[in-house]
Amino acid sequence: MTSAPSVVPLNIAITTGEPAGVGPELTAAALAGAAAHWPGVKFTVLGDAGLLAQRARAVGVDWAALRAAGHVAVSSRLLAAPSHPGQLDAANGRYVLGLLDDAIDGALAGVFDAIVTAPLQKSTINDAGVPFTGHTEYLAERTGTARVVMMLAGTGARPLRVALATTHLPLKDVPAALSIDGLVETIAIIDRDLRRDFGLPVPRILVTGLNPHAGENGYLGREEIDVISPALARAAQGGIDARGPYPADTLFQPRYLNDADCVLAMFHDQGLPVLKFATFGEGVNITLGLPIIRTSVDHGTALDLAGTGRADAGSMIAALDTAVTMARNRRAA
């Protein structure tokens, strides 16, 4: 009688982000119940080992015992300079970027099944002499991905998901950044990843207009007529259920969202204020279109809370949950 083949546990990497922020302690707090909450999953925490142990104490987590249990490992990278809660130091900017590089390299090599990123401080990396726009853009560059899509999601049986056609652009630059080809590609990425990584057989995507009242038939702008509607028609020809353009001021209500799997908004502050109002503290930032899985928290470094033990780990737990679900679905595909 032959024994059943052993199942290799998922290995999820966590980058602990800005050392002066809440990332290290939120990681420890979220992993405190790892064995019970995520059985069969291994978490590799990337960060300075001494810093992690120190911040774990701030949230009452026995870091040594957690590691000894075997569900949590540490891939240590030394800080460039001592870090104190709430006090940014540009000397550690390259340390933060190094954590991200280690995670990306490991995921591309198949060592990690997914990456979960704690918040970082963009200014610290730029002050260290490295031009840096954000996690999303850096992940795209490092993985050689021509187009990625930022999607934030709530949790629950029917989560609200909002993806963005453009991300960190000044509002005046958004219209010129929208194109038929670009929107078709964005919609195709959303459709593919919702099928593969979220187990949705036929995702329904609702698409906003750019202008007030979705352009009012051209009286308030022509982007809906000249760009968005033609992109939706092409997506439909490819078998994608994408509908719109809808006025953004009326789309975010249950009678539309109850039957939707994702909303595609045209710019950052069109869709995310609604999502963050509904889910803040339990939301997840997901980068679609990458060859690797990446999720993150829905908040920043919270320097004022760092080291106090008062920061809420809800979004980090949600990000870990989502990464595990996506990795399981992708492995099964």
Side-chain angles (χ1 to χ4, degrees):
M1 181 176 179
T2 59
S3 60
S6 60
V7 178
V8 178
L10 293 175
N11 188 357
I12 310 296
I14 306 172
T15 60
T16 48
E18 170 55 51
V22 294
E25 63 205 72
L26 290 185
T27 300
L31 291 177
H37 196 69
W38 299 287
V41 179
K42 175 184 175 182
F43 295 94
T44 300
V45 181
L46 284 70
D48 183 285
L51 173 75
L52 295 173
Q54 177 189 64
R55 297 298 174 81
R57 286 194 294 272
V59 290
V61 173
D62 187 335
W63 190 243
L66 190 62
R67 294 179 63 185
H71 293 280
V72 176
V74 172
S75 176
S76 187
R77 176 183 280 265
L78 293 176
L79 288 162
S83 180
H84 304 284
Q87 300 178 28
L88 298 174
D89 189 336
N92 284 320
R94 292 181 184 271
Y95 157 85
V96 174
L97 206 56
L99 301 181
L100 189 54
D101 284 334
D102 291 345
I104 293 170
D105 290 342
L108 289 172
V111 176
F112 302 132
D113 295 284
I115 298 171
V116 178
T117 58
L120 50 71
Q121 192 82 13
K122 299 173 189 175
S123 62
T124 303
I125 297 173
N126 282 283
D127 289 344
V130 182
F132 185 84
T133 306
H135 269 122
T136 302
E137 295 82 359
Y138 190 76
L139 284 157
E141 179 184 346
R142 282 282 279 103
T143 60
T145 307
R147 183 179 295 276
V148 296
V149 178
M150 178 188 292
M151 183 178 79
L152 272 78
T155 56
R158 190 73 187 179
L160 173 61
R161 303 183 185 94
V162 177
L164 301 177
T166 62
T167 53
H168 300 122
L169 285 179
L171 192 56
K172 65 181 178 60
D173 295 336
V174 169
L178 299 174
S179 68
I180 296 173
D181 289 344
L183 283 178
V184 170
E185 189 174 356
T186 294
I187 292 168
I189 288 170
I190 296 169
D191 179 75
R192 182 200 67 193
D193 284 11
L194 288 180
R195 291 173 188 263
R196 178 185 61 183
D197 296 337
F198 291 85
L200 300 173
V202 185
R204 178 175 293 180
I205 304 164
L206 304 184
V207 181
T208 70
L210 172 67
N211 299 294
H213 303 170
E216 197 85 44
N217 293 321
Y219 289 101
L220 294 176
R222 291 195 54 85
E223 285 82 6
E224 290 76 12
I225 296 170
D226 296 338
V227 179
I228 302 173
S229 291
L232 291 174
R234 278 179 47 186
Q237 291 172 358
I240 297 174
D241 186 355
R243 308 178 185 192
Y246 296 99
D249 66 335
T250 56
L251 176 59
F252 290 95
Q253 52 180 307
R255 68 190 181 111
Y256 295 115
L257 298 179
N258 283 345
D259 294 323
D261 294 302
C262 184
V263 171
L264 174 60
M266 291 299 106
F267 57 93
H268 189 279
D269 283 12
Q270 185 184 53
L272 296 194
V274 180
L275 183 133
K276 290 192 176 185
F277 174 78
T279 69
F280 193 75
E282 296 181 348
V284 184
N285 186 348
I286 305 157
T287 307
L288 306 180
L290 294 169
I292 60 178
I293 294 169
R294 179 261 175 163
T295 69
S296 186
V297 296
D298 67 352
H299 57 76
T301 52
L303 297 172
D304 59 322
L305 294 177
T308 67
R310 300 200 312 269
D312 188 342
S315 183
M316 176 60 82
I317 292 170
L320 294 172
D321 266 335
T322 302
V324 169
T325 297
M326 293 175 69
R328 284 174 174 159
N329 285 335
R330 190 172 292 193
R331 180 178 283 190

